[in-house]
């Protein structure tokens, strides 16, 4: 639904060059909620602004719903009109709502329709329908200043939907909201995604947002996508930084008389039975040092750090058992992680 290839953006200001995007290949499938995470300055906002051509990429292509937007940009009036039409099918939600304070809620939602030249009656019908959809049917005549942050963002979302978009872009849309309001806005985005088949590309610096509603995610650093995939795929990637941030587990590493392993569940095996089977089968006591589990798309996913008694050479068989159950097992060994793990894989054969 959204594809970028080799997307690059270089800002030039005062003789200085900043490479905000450095060859981003992104693929967002139709109907999914896709989260882009990364620290401040990673290039997330630039990416989303390039996707709807608010920002002109320096090079690379952006395709949305089968249409190459970069090819339309700056190609004369006819292509310009086509680009404007294409962009009206991409909704955008902002962190600070960007509502006009002098206009009522209804009139804020009608604004993009005015620009598209939609008649007054039709605009009103559409605005009221959207207000109902976002749960603010009684606020049509209110002004933004009379609304809470969560309500303002609902208006922002309604406005973004005015052009019947196929795609919704969201730039930190919950970052200015408290945790409870964040949850209700994320739920609204999820409902819209499911009811309207809306594809959602959202950027956030909060891992919680990804865990709550995203089907897929990408991690950006220094203008590049360094990891991406479905949440399950990310979890299944050994050594994934995104997985560790999404599901952080505490607890100490292995020592001379104990073996500490991180077990990653990505929806195939249920958690508790595997751990208790392990304990019963090999007659060992297992301590759970830390765990971060969640249900994503109806599957239990997450990571758990467990401790087995004895050195890891003594635990080759139990760890092999866990791997046979389809679980990913990484030895949490601060000193020699790679060789120990390689030996373990040898031993498990
Ligand atoms: N209009 C601009 N002019 C110059 N530099 C910019 C501009 N917008 C963003 N940048 C720079 O591009 C980099 C990426 O910024 P941004 O996309 O806003 O990151 P993020 O949203 O991940 O915090 C930063 O180094 C930022 O300073
Ligand atoms: Mg930003």
């Amino acid at each position: 639904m959204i594809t970028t290839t080799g997307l690059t953006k270089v800002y030039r200001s005062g003789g200085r060059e900043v490479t905000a995007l450095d060859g981003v290949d992104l693929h967002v499938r139709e109907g999914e909620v896709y989260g882009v995470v990364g620290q401040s300055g990673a290039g997330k906002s630039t990416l989303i602004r390039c996707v709807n051509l608010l920002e002109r990429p320096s090079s690379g292509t952006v395709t949305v719903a089968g249409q190459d937007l970069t090819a339309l940009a700056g190609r004369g009036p006819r292509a310009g009109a086509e680009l404007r039409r294409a962009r009206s099918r991409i909704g955008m939600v902002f962190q600070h709502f960007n509502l006009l304070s002098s206009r009522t809620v209804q009139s804020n939602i009608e604004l993009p329709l005015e620009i598209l030249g939609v008649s007054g009656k039709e605009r009103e019908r559409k605005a009221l329908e959207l207000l109902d959809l976002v749960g603010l049917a009684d606020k049509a005549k209110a002004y933004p200043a009379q609304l809470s942050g969560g309500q303002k963002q609902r208006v922002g979302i309604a406005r973004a939907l005015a052009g019947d978009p196929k795609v919704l872009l969201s730039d930190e849309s919950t970052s200015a909201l408290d945790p409870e309001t964040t949850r209700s806005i994320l739920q609204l985005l999820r409902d819209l995604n499911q009811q309207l088949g809306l594809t959602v590309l959202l950027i956030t610096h909060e891992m919680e947002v990804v865990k709550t509603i995203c089907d897929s995610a990408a991690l950006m650093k220094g203008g590049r996508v360094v990891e991406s995939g479905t949440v399950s795929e990310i979890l299944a990637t050994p050594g994934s930084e995104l997985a560790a941030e999404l599901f952080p587990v505490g607890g100490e590493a292995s020592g001379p008389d104990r073996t500490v392993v991180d077990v990653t569940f990505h929806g195939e095996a249920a958690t508790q039975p595997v751990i208790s089977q392990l304990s019963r089968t090999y007659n060992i006591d297992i301590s759970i040092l830390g765990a971060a589990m969640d249900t994503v798309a109806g599957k239990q996913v997450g990571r758990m750090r467990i401790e087995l008694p004895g050195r890891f050479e003594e635990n080759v068989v139990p760890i092999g058992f866990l791997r046979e159950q389809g679980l990913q097992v990484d030895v949490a060994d601060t000193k020699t992680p790679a060789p120990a793990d390689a030996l373990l894989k040898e031993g498990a054969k």
Side-chain angles (χ1 to χ4, degrees), residues 3-324:
T3 302
T4 74
T5 53
L7 201 61
T8 304
K9 176 70 189 182
V10 181
Y11 290 109
R12 290 187 177 81
S13 57
R16 235 170 47 90
E17 286 196 353
V18 178
T19 303
L21 296 180
D22 189 9
V24 171
D25 297 322
L26 197 73
H27 183 62
V28 181
R29 283 172 295 197
E30 183 168 3
E32 77 174 336
V33 179
Y34 196 110
V36 176
V37 289
Q39 290 184 341
S40 177
K44 306 182 299 295
S45 293
T46 305
L47 173 63
I48 215 161
R49 292 166 61 84
C50 280
V51 166
N52 67 0
L53 271 280
L54 267 174
E55 202 80 72
R56 179 79 77 84
S58 304
S59 63
T61 62
V62 175
T63 307
V64 178
Q67 202 165 23
D68 184 346
L69 302 186
T70 28
L72 292 176
R75 272 256 227 90
R78 182 178 289 181
E82 214 172 311
L83 178 62
R84 271 195 301 282
R85 248 196 317 280
R87 282 175 54 185
S88 75
R89 310 274 285 166
I90 304 174
M92 178 102 173
V93 187
F94 305 89
Q95 179 176 359
H96 297 293
F97 327 125
N98 297 12
L99 303 178
L100 294 178
S101 58
S102 61
R103 283 181 163 235
T104 62
V105 162
Q106 180 184 334
S107 155
N108 264 284
I109 299 170
E110 288 187 22
L111 185 60
L113 298 171
E114 275 173 49
I115 293 166
L116 287 174
V118 176
S119 77
K121 246 206 155 65
E122 174 57 19
R123 287 201 308 264
E124 172 163 23
R125 188 196 65 73
K126 187 76 193 175
L128 296 180
E129 176 194 307
L130 289 169
L131 274 172
D132 196 34
L133 189 65
V134 300
L136 288 181
D138 55 336
K139 297 289 185 200
K141 300 295 174 215
Y143 285 88
Q146 299 167 312
L147 304 180
S148 70
Q151 289 171 331
K152 283 181 200 164
Q153 196 54 292
R154 284 172 188 267
V155 177
I157 291 169
R159 180 188 53 191
L161 297 176
D164 290 323
K166 290 257 173 281
V167 168
L168 191 68
L169 308 179
S170 154
D171 188 347
E172 302 277 5
S173 64
T174 59
S175 298
L177 306 173
D178 62 70
E180 200 178 322
T181 311
T182 291
R183 274 193 291 280
S184 82
I185 292 293
L186 292 178
Q187 186 60 49
L188 174 62
L189 290 177
R190 187 38 117 181
D191 290 346
L192 294 171
N193 157 256
Q194 283 169 354
Q195 283 171 27
L196 309 176
L198 201 61
T199 304
V200 180
L201 173 61
L202 63 84
I203 65 176
T204 179
H205 65 281
E206 296 167 301
M207 290 293 162
E208 206 48 44
V209 170
V210 175
K211 257 161 83 171
T212 310
I213 62 164
C214 292
D215 302 300
S216 299
L219 173 64
M220 277 190 83
K221 271 189 189 177
R224 293 171 163 273
V225 169
V226 294
E227 282 187 35
S228 66
T230 63
V231 173
S232 297
E233 283 164 0
I234 289 164
L235 271 166
T237 307
S240 161
E241 190 178 327
L242 203 44
E245 292 205 35
L246 282 171
F247 297 94
V249 288
E252 282 175 34
S254 303
D257 55 355
R258 64 178 192 277
T259 303
V260 176
V261 296
D262 291 336
V263 183
T264 304
F265 299 85
H266 34 87
E268 310 312 326
T271 327
Q272 294 310 332
V274 176
I275 301 298
S276 68
Q277 271 168 26
L278 178 68
S279 179
R280 263 187 283 122
T281 309
Y282 298 100
N283 194 25
I284 47 176
D285 293 322
I286 298 165
S287 309
I288 296 173
L289 304 179
M293 306 294 300
D294 223 316
T295 305
V296 176
K299 287 178 174 176
Q300 198 174 28
V301 297
R303 303 196 317 146
M304 184 180 281
R305 176 164 283 197
I306 60 174
E307 179 183 315
L308 311 171
R311 285 174 303 129
F312 101 91
E313 286 87 348
E314 297 162 43
N315 283 298
V316 167
V317 174
I319 291 172
F321 168 85
L322 288 174
R323 288 196 167 131
E324 275 167 24

